[in-house]
């Protein structure tokens, strides 16, 4: 009884903590506040409070624009979460179940000018609110369903009927990513006064390269199924194609027709493609092919314009394209290019490319490289030390690597320092630190164990692409200011270190980003790239005179120059397959060809887009709009977001129920409740006809309460999750390490079960008792990675240790178990890897107590399921045996698995339902068991294969059709075979 008493005390204490925490205590623990206006609730981390007036201004003007253009009457106030979790800013939005925008305070990456925009917060609000409006906008029919289902529904895997409800309440969310992002980018550009990807040099370059190289254009289905997987730009292709197609539509038809496509007026069609046909008078697929034909003609004309002047030839070094690549160091003596690389089928890494023989060496792994820049990179040629950033999608670590030995060393954890450059004069390292939305110039002297702030720039002013003159006296940087004007600035280091930030030289590039400008060997010039003429050419800036000269006339684009000993320039040349190292002769040119931008053609034909600019933030007085402010308390903000009828299964019986979902506006807390009733049957007692399942989460806490727990997927056995009786569970997850992809989580869980007849974790084992209490704790570590285009983890390590104490009636028991998984990518096959998975466990307690044992058997997949696809990886899975057929007090299990490369489909299905890829794996497991100390030992074998077909449903939701075979053996005797067919939904 002692354990039960302790669990009751724990439950009461935690519930009191969750529900009765005073406002002051919660405010101190969260450090999150809010301001509210009639249209928005802005929630922000307190260190970002200085930005809140500006966010209110940008949101208010954009929100009014969306309402006017799209005829949008918001269904609710929009939530905006301002955060600082990443060193490169981004934003995201949802229009269901609540209107919500997440915005990072950090500046976005300027790499290759892939995402040009106006001031970042102004632009982010314009872009993300297009998403919100496009999903939230509703006809009377949509409003009827929202009223009936108490809100907009987001499909939930526990109840797949929610797929239908989602389509009824928010139909325009069910559209491909290229449609959602392409329309948002299109409108964002004109809302920002014409600054954006519609008039961006990178997008023009991508399609110009495709036409020059006669690359195949994806159709809408091929783009969604293959184009976002096999190309080095992966998901960005949705932005590229979507933006270009929508821009073509506005040019060929009109911007007003694009607006009509997004609107949900009375009489409009629910499905985006049907609405397209209604607005444009033809099927979308036909218009897409017309765009492809137009694009080829348009880009051929641009290529002819470039060729009006002599085109700069280039010599490719090292053979094939390298995908995305960081700033590099070219060692001319050895013919080696050092840098950070990222390409499809290869994990991000520091590499060495031999340009003379095409050889390639991976020198060290990188965790989480960005798409285009990969990582910030600097090089010390005297010692052969590479400095680079790790964990580039979060708060970056600063690392060093010896290119001779491969030894990696962590210099600073979460330094948040990038834009690295090495000073040969004093061996110091310089960089830019991002924190709370601000950029700070920093210096790290050897041995690089501390950093010093040199200058903090005001919000909106961001330096990037630092370089140092060969004599170590001058520092250059590309700088964007708060008006989105672009400069190359040069400072004297001595004056900078004394606090004088007046630049010694300044070169203005208007709205075009000057990228990767570096000093010549004699310090007289700066070489860099810019889309100043529409094509990314190399420019030379003379420090003494301020003169800017083009030194290349590229057909496609050159980037990241570095002067070589003979005066030629090492560059990256863009191709349709990615970037290739190359060499050009740098000669000043009198005339450089310019191209036409499709966005400019839209303006010429339809000048209405010039009237779409959103007013400046300065036109709004935020204090006149704010109606409330204070500490943000998620539990007090919980609200019903939707409710809908569901089907439930209980021990093979069909039940009817209703699901209620509650969330706070920011998604910090949630509660769901399913109430169900199963009609009476001969095998179902009256006290098992009613069902309740309540689950909640908040700040690491997990809680669940059930009575005769039911589950939809029990209708499709053989695995049964429904259980007789009541269960109360309470858990807490604490992240000891949160450094993606490396995580270490300490979890503690307590549970009380009553009126049960089977074990909670073993459906086919009669409990022999009606009450059970458990208390468990575990450590779960994971550090696994996958390359671009991968469909599963390809390398890394993960392990788990768990200890459980239980009391069944008067019988105590303890169980200890753990597992270790290690994986290695195979060098001769892309996206193929070999995994070793080791499991072990031991239990103590009365031998008659079934809770003091472990149980194994079968794949574990239901015919229709929502659990893990590869269930044979679980510790208790043994394909070829029945569920819970094998039992043990002690066990060791070893599994080897070979995952084969996936086959990626391109046109298998329709855009709304198609096959993405097919992947197979082979596995073999050996299980050694013992029934207590001194008991007999038994050895079981299981081997088999499984193939998984990934299906895309309604554009955003995945399904897996899996077929598996397993054979079981005890010793040399085969005991059974098992075929498994399972459809995993959502």
């Amino acid at each position: 009884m002692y354990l039960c008493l302790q669990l009751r005390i724990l439950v009461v204490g935690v519930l009191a903590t969750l529900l009765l925490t005073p406002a002051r205590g919660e405010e101190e623990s969260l450090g999150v506040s809010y301001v509210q206006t009639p249209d928005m609730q802005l929630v922000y981390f307190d260190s970002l409070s200085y930005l809140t007036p500006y966010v209110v201004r940008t949101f208010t003007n954009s929100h009014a624009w969306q309402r006017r253009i799209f005829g949008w009457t918001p269904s609710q106030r929009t939530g905006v979460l301002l955060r600082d979790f990443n060193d490169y800013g981004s934003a995201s939005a949802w229009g269901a179940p609540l209107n919500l925008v997440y915005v990072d305070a950090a500046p976005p990456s300027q790499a290759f000018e892939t995402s040009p925009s106006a001031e970042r917060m102004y632009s982010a609000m314009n872009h993300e609110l297009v998403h919100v409006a496009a999903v939230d906008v509703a006809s009377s029919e949509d409003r009827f369903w929202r009223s009936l289902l108490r809100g907009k529904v987001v499909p939930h895997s526990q109840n797949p009927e929610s797929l239908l409800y989602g389509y009824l309440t928010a139909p325009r969310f069910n559209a491909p990513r290229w449609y959602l992002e392409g329309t948002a980018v299109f409108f964002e550009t004109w809302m920002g006064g014409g600054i954006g990807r519609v008039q961006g040099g990178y997008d023009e370059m991508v399609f110009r390269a495709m036409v020059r190289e006669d690359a195949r254009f994806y159709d809408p289905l091929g783009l969604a199924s293959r184009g976002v997987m096999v190309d080095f730009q992966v998901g960005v292709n949705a932005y590229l194609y979507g933006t270009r197609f929508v821009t073509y539509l506005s040019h060929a038809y009109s911007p007003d027709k694009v607006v009509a496509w997004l609107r949900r007026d009375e009489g409009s069609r629910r499905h985006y493609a049907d609405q397209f046909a209604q607005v444009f008078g033809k099927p979308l697929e036909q218009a897409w092919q017309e765009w492809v034909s137009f694009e080829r003609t348009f880009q051929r004309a641009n290529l002819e314009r470039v060729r009006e002047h002599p085109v700069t030839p280039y010599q490719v070094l090292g053979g094939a394209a390298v995908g995305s690549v960081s700033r590099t160091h070219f060692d001319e003596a050895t013919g080696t290019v050092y840098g950070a690389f990222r390409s499809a089928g290869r994990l991000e890494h520091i590499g060495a490319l031999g340009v003379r023989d095409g050889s390639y060496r991976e020198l060290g792994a990188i965790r989480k490289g960005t798409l285009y820049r990969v990582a910030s990179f600097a090089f010390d040629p005297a010692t052969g030390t590479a400095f680079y950033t790790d964990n580039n999608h979060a708060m970056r670590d600063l690392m060093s690597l010896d290119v001779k030995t491969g030894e990696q060393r962590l210099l600073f954890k979460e330094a948040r320092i990038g834009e690295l450059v090495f000073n040969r004069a004093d061996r110091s390292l310089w960089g830019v630190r991002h924190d709370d939305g601000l950029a700070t110039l920093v210096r790290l002297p050897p041995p690089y164990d501390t950093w010093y702030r040199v200058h903090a720039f005001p919000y909106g002013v961001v330096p990037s692409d630092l370089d140092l003159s060969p004599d170590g006296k001058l520092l250059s940087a590309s700088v964007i200011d708060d008006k989105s004007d672009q400069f190359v600035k040069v400072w004297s280091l001595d004056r900078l270190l004394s606090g004088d930030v007046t630049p010694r030289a300044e070169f203005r590039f208007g709205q075009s980003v000057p990228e990767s400008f570096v000093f010549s060997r004699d310090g007289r010039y700066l070489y860099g790239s810019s889309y100043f003429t529409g094509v990314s050419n190399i420019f030379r800036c003379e420090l003494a005179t301020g003169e800017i000269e083009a030194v290349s006339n590229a057909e496609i684009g050159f980037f990241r120059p570095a002067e070589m000993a003979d005066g030629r320039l090492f560059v990256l040349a863009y191709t349709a397959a990615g970037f290739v190292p190359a060499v050009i002769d740098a000669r000043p040119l009198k005339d450089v060809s310019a191209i036409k931008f499709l966005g400019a053609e839209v303006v010429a034909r339809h000048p209405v887009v010039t009237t779409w600019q959103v007013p400046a933030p300065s036109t709004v007085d935020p204090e006149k709009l704010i109606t409330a402010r204070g500490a943000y308390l998620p539990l007090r903000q919980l609200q019903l977001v939707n409710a809908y009828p569901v089907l439930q299964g209980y021990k093979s019986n069909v039940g009817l129920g209703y699901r209620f979902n509650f969330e706070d506006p920011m998604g910090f807390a949630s509660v769901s409740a399913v109430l169900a009733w199963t009609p009476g049957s001969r095998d179902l007692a009256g006290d098992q006809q009613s069902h309740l399942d309540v689950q909640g989460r908040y700040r690491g806490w997990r809680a669940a309460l059930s009575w005769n727990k039911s589950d939809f997927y029990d209708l499709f056995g053989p695995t049964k999750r429904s259980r007789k009786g009541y269960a109360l569970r309470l858990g807490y997850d604490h992240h000891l390490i949160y450094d993606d992809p490396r995580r270490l989580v300490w979890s503690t869980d307590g549970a009380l079960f009553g009126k049960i007849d089977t074990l909670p974790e073993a459906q086919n084992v009669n409990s022999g008792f009606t009450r059970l209490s458990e208390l468990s704790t575990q450590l779960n570590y994971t550090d696994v990675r996958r390359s671009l285009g991968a469909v599963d983890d390809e390398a890394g390590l993960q392990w788990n240790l768990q200890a459980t104490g239980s009391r069944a009636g008067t019988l105590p028991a303890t169980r200890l178990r753990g597992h270790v998984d290690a994986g290695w990518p195979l060098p001769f096959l892309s996206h193929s890897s070999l995994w070793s998975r080791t499991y072990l466990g031991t239990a103590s307690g009365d031998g008659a107590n079934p809770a003091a044992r472990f149980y194994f058997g079968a794949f574990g997949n239901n015919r229709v399921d929502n659990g893990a696809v590869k269930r044979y990886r679980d510790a208790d899975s043994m394909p070829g045996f029945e569920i819970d057929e094998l039992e043990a007090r002690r066990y060791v299990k070893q599994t080897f698995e070979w995952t084969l490369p996936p086959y990626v489909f391109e046109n298998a299905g329709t855009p709304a339902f198609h096959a993405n890829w097919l992947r197979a794996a082979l596995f073999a497991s050996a299980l050694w068991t013992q029934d207590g100390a001194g008991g007999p030992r038994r050895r079981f074998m299981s081997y088999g294969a499984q193939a998984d077909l990934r299906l895309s449903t309604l554009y955003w939701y995945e399904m897996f059709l899996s077929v598996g075979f397993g054979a079981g053996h005890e010793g040399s005797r085969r005991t059974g075979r098992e075929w498994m067919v399972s459809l995993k939904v959502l």
Side-chain angles (χ1 to χ4, degrees):
M1 298 302 292
Y2 176 74
L3 182 59
C4 292
L5 176 62
Q6 294 298 308
L7 285 171
R8 290 191 182 103
I9 294 173
L10 176 64
V11 169
V12 172
V14 171
L15 289 177
T17 300
L18 290 175
L19 301 177
L20 303 177
T21 299
R24 179 61 182 167
E26 198 170 1
E27 177 186 21
E28 291 175 350
S29 59
L30 278 178
V32 177
S33 302
Y34 80 96
V35 296
Q36 189 169 290
T37 74
D39 296 319
M40 77 177 300
Q41 182 179 44
L42 170 61
V43 177
Y44 58 92
F45 289 84
D46 291 342
S47 62
L48 300 172
S49 60
Y50 78 97
L51 269 176
T52 57
Y54 187 65
V55 175
V56 171
R57 292 187 179 106
T58 56
F59 173 92
T60 300
N61 282 340
S62 180
H63 191 269
W65 188 96
Q66 313 285 345
R67 297 186 64 162
R68 176 173 59 87
I69 296 295
F70 298 124
W72 174 40
T73 300
S75 63
Q76 60 206 203
R77 183 182 286 116
T78 299
V80 177
L81 177 63
L82 181 62
R83 60 190 184 180
D84 185 34
F85 294 166
N86 306 289
D87 287 348
Y88 286 119
S90 62
S92 56
W94 287 263
L98 299 174
N99 296 342
L100 179 60
V101 175
Y102 287 164
V103 182
D104 293 308
S109 171
Q110 296 291 321
F112 303 116
E113 201 177 334
T114 48
S115 185
S117 68
E119 191 283 320
R120 64 182 187 260
M121 199 62 66
Y122 173 78
S123 180
M125 288 300 169
N126 292 339
H127 180 103
E128 301 306 333
L129 284 177
V130 172
H131 288 318
V132 174
V135 174
D136 191 48
V137 67
S139 67
S140 58
E141 184 181 3
D142 303 333
R143 290 191 291 271
F144 166 78
W145 287 110
R146 293 177 186 182
S147 175
L148 186 65
L149 302 176
R150 308 302 298 167
K152 293 170 288 184
V153 177
V154 172
H156 195 287
S157 66
Q158 286 186 317
N159 296 103
E161 315 96 299
S162 54
L163 272 169
L164 173 61
Y165 304 147
Y167 184 64
L168 292 174
T169 57
R172 294 294 174 80
F173 183 74
N174 295 280
R177 191 179 184 188
W178 67 258
Y179 163 83
L180 296 172
E181 297 298 351
T183 52
V185 170
F186 174 79
F187 287 109
E188 169 206 338
T189 299
W190 307 118
M191 294 168 74
I195 304 175
R197 296 187 69 154
V198 171
Q199 302 206 94
Y202 185 86
D203 289 41
E204 290 286 352
M205 179 180 70
V206 167
F207 291 102
R208 192 167 66 254
M210 291 174 64
V211 170
R212 187 191 70 169
E213 298 169 27
D214 199 25
R216 184 169 51 86
F217 282 66
Y218 291 111
D219 60 23
L221 175 55
L223 175 64
S225 61
R226 184 177 178 84
V228 296
M229 286 193 63
V230 301
D231 190 276
F232 86 101
Q233 300 188 98
V234 288
V236 173
N237 272 333
Y239 289 77
L240 290 165
Y241 277 76
T243 300
R244 201 68 181 178
F245 178 58
V246 174
T247 304
Y248 160 76
L249 293 174
S250 69
H251 176 264
Y253 299 92
S254 75
D256 291 336
K257 282 190 175 290
V258 175
V259 171
W261 187 22
L262 266 70
R263 289 177 66 112
R264 188 72 173 103
D265 299 327
E266 299 304 322
S268 64
R269 305 299 294 272
R270 175 176 294 276
H271 191 265
Y272 85 100
D274 294 338
Q275 176 68 1
F276 182 93
Q278 178 171 294
V279 171
F280 293 96
K282 61 181 63 177
L284 187 149
E285 290 75 11
Q286 179 183 338
W288 188 281
Q289 293 306 316
E290 290 172 356
W291 158 63
V292 172
S293 177
F294 167 87
E295 190 69 51
R296 293 189 182 279
T297 301
F298 185 81
Q299 296 300 351
R300 289 190 188 105
N302 269 337
L303 287 167
E304 289 303 315
R305 291 185 184 94
V306 173
R307 293 164 184 161
E308 289 174 359
H309 300 286
V311 172
T312 302
Y314 62 91
Q315 175 189 349
V316 174
L317 304 176
V322 295
S324 294
V325 59
S326 70
R327 184 176 180 173
T328 59
H329 172 78
F330 182 33
D331 184 343
E332 292 186 64
T334 62
T336 304
V337 177
Y338 297 102
F341 299 91
R342 188 176 193 235
S343 59
R346 242 180 186 161
L347 298 171
E348 302 99 312
H349 58 276
I350 301 296
L353 172 64
V355 299
R356 294 170 183 166
D357 57 7
S359 62
Y360 193 81
R361 292 180 294 136
E362 293 188 16
L363 304 176
I366 293 177
R367 292 181 301 124
K368 297 289 185 180
T370 58
L371 177 56
Y372 292 109
R373 190 184 295 263
V374 188
S376 184
F377 182 86
F379 195 78
D380 176 4
T383 62
T385 303
F387 300 93
Y388 64 98
T389 54
D390 207 8
N391 201 19
N392 291 275
H393 280 290
M395 297 181 182
R396 293 169 294 182
D397 303 333
L398 185 57
M399 307 287 294
S400 69
L401 178 143
D402 188 317
V403 299
K404 298 183 182 69
T405 66
E407 179 185 359
Q408 292 175 284
R409 185 162 66 98
L410 174 66
L411 300 178
F412 274 103
K413 185 66 181 171
E414 295 186 354
R416 311 197 69 174
I417 297 173
E419 312 297 338
L420 302 175
V421 63
F422 181 76
N423 190 345
R424 299 191 186 191
D426 63 2
R427 302 191 62 248
S428 63
L429 199 62
W430 289 68
V432 177
R433 187 171 191 265
H434 293 164
D435 188 31
D436 286 338
L438 302 175
T440 302
L441 183 66
V442 299
R443 177 178 179 269
L444 297 85
Y448 318 109
D449 55 2
T450 188
W451 59 266
Y452 298 94
R453 187 180 76 168
V454 177
H455 178 70
F457 294 88
Y459 175 81
V461 179
V462 183
S464 62
D465 288 329
L466 304 186
D467 196 50
L468 287 158
S469 59
D471 59 9
K473 294 181 178 181
L474 299 177
L475 173 75
S476 69
S478 298
V479 179
I480 182 172
D481 68 10
D482 56 357
K483 300 180 182 63
S484 297
D485 289 328
Q486 306 280 347
F487 304 86
V488 172
K489 296 189 177 185
V490 181
W491 296 272
S492 165
L493 281 193
D494 290 341
R495 293 171 64 180
L496 261 181
L497 292 171
S498 66
D500 184 355
V501 295
T502 304
R504 173 174 167 175
E506 182 175 282
F507 304 90
R508 180 183 291 269
F509 281 79
Q511 302 294 333
S512 182
V513 176
E515 185 172 14
S516 299
F517 273 78
V518 296
F519 285 94
S520 60
R521 288 174 173 256
D522 59 9
R524 180 182 173 187
Y525 300 104
L526 283 165
Y527 288 100
S529 66
S530 174
Y531 295 97
F532 202 65
T533 63
V535 178
S536 182
N537 276 304
I538 304 302
F539 290 85
R540 185 177 75 177
C541 302
E542 187 170 5
L543 273 65
T545 65
E547 184 179 6
I548 302 176
E549 297 177 298
V551 296
S552 77
N553 182 35
E555 272 192 319
I556 307 302
F558 297 135
F559 300 88
R560 296 185 182 158
E563 189 180 34
M564 300 169 60
D566 60 5
R568 294 184 300 165
L569 293 182
F570 173 85
V571 297
L572 294 179
Y574 183 82
T575 71
F579 296 92
V580 296
V583 172
I584 65 171
D585 288 322
R587 297 190 179 95
L589 304 176
K590 293 182 179 180
D591 295 302
V592 177
S593 302
I595 63 167
K596 284 188 176 181
F597 283 74
L598 183 54
E601 298 298 294
V602 171
V603 173
R605 181 175 290 191
H606 305 287
V608 66
V609 295
T610 63
T611 69
W612 283 359
Q613 184 169 0
V614 173
S618 58
T619 60
V620 175
D621 183 353
E623 291 303 319
K624 292 182 178 180
L625 296 174
I626 294 174
T627 59
R629 61 187 352 134
Y632 184 75
L633 311 177
L635 292 176
R636 298 188 182 183
Q637 299 272 347
L638 281 174
Q639 57 185 280
L640 179 68
V641 296
N642 49 56
Y644 45 84
V646 295
L647 282 175
Q648 293 292 101
Y650 183 75
K651 296 187 175 181
S652 300
N653 296 283
V654 180
L656 300 176
Y658 221 85
R659 182 184 182 93
F660 302 86
N661 293 310
F662 302 82
E663 291 184 15
D664 77 288
M666 297 298 123
F668 290 158
S670 68
V671 176
S672 67
V674 177
L675 288 76
W677 177 265
T678 301
S681 64
R682 285 180 295 180
D683 61 342
L684 191 63
D687 64 348
Q688 296 184 54
Q689 292 182 263
S690 59
H691 313 281
L692 172 68
D693 187 8
V694 181
Q695 298 187 36
R697 61 168 183 83
Y698 174 61
R699 299 185 61 201
W701 289 101
R702 295 170 282 104
L705 172 65
S706 65
W707 168 255
N708 295 331
K709 178 178 173 61
S710 60
D711 192 280
F712 171 85
Y713 298 97
D714 279 16
L715 299 173
F716 308 93
T719 299
K720 302 296 183 184
R721 303 174 191 169
S722 55
R723 293 292 186 272
K724 177 181 179 294
Y726 67 82
L728 175 63
R729 302 173 186 267
L730 190 64
Y732 182 75
D733 299 323
H734 177 61
H735 284 82
L736 301 175
I737 298 175
Y738 192 95
D739 187 22
D740 274 344
R742 191 167 62 98
R743 294 189 185 188
L744 177 61
V745 182
W746 177 26
S747 299
T748 302
D749 293 83
L752 290 172
F753 304 92
K755 298 189 176 182
I756 63 176
D757 56 5
T758 58
L759 290 184
E761 298 177 359
Q763 66 183 58
N764 294 330
V765 179
N766 291 327
S767 61
F769 46 79
T770 60
R771 290 174 58 85
L772 174 68
S773 55
E774 288 185 346
L775 186 63
S776 69
T777 186
Q778 64 177 310
L779 287 171
N780 191 66
Y781 177 84
T782 180
D783 184 9
V784 293
R785 298 190 298 140
R786 59 178 64 184
S787 62
L788 287 179
V791 301
D792 204 349
D793 296 326
E794 296 178 312
L797 175 71
Q798 54 190 16
W799 54 262
N800 172 272
L801 293 174
Q802 182 180 26
T804 303
S806 65
R807 182 176 290 272
T810 61
L811 300 177
T814 59
R815 294 191 302 172
L816 301 175
R817 65 192 310 174
H819 79 260
V820 178
D821 299 342
W824 303 268
L826 298 180
F828 50 87
L829 283 175
S830 294
H831 306 311
S832 180
S833 56
L834 182 66
W835 286 84
S836 167
R837 308 181 190 275
T838 305
Y839 314 82
L840 66 161
T842 181
S844 63
D846 192 303
N849 181 2
R853 292 177 175 273
F854 304 98
Y855 300 91
F856 310 87
F859 275 98
N861 305 68
N862 278 343
R863 290 181 289 277
V864 179
D865 209 330
N866 71 332
V869 174
K870 291 186 172 296
R871 208 77 58 83
Y872 63 80
R873 294 174 176 174
D874 293 350
D876 56 2
S877 176
M878 284 291 286
F881 296 89
E882 297 296 326
I883 296 175
D884 302 331
E885 178 183 352
L886 310 178
E887 60 180 271
R889 300 286 296 276
R890 296 177 179 178
Y891 73 89
V892 175
K893 178 183 173 183
Q894 177 63 50
T895 298
F896 290 103
E897 177 186 0
W898 178 22
T899 60
L900 300 173
Y903 177 81
V904 181
F905 297 97
E906 184 168 337
N907 290 97
T910 68
F913 184 78
H914 60 267
N916 291 103
W917 44 259
L918 176 67
R919 170 266 312 272
L922 306 175
F923 64 87
S925 298
L927 173 67
W928 294 268
T929 68
Q930 187 176 26
D931 194 9
R937 298 180 179 179
R938 304 174 69 184
R939 180 171 62 87
F940 304 92
M941 297 288 294
S942 174
Y943 60 86
Q946 181 171 319
D948 305 302
L949 176 65
R950 201 267 196 185
L951 304 168
S952 176
T953 304
L954 290 180
Y955 311 103
W956 289 98
Y957 311 109
E958 66 178 22
M959 292 186 178
F960 286 89
L961 179 61
S962 299
V963 177
F965 171 79
H969 291 254
E970 181 174 4
S972 59
R973 180 176 61 89
R974 190 172 68 191
T975 58
R977 295 180 177 181
E978 179 184 5
W979 283 96
M980 180 274 294
V981 178
S982 176
L983 177 66
K984 177 188 181 297
V985 298
L986 298 177

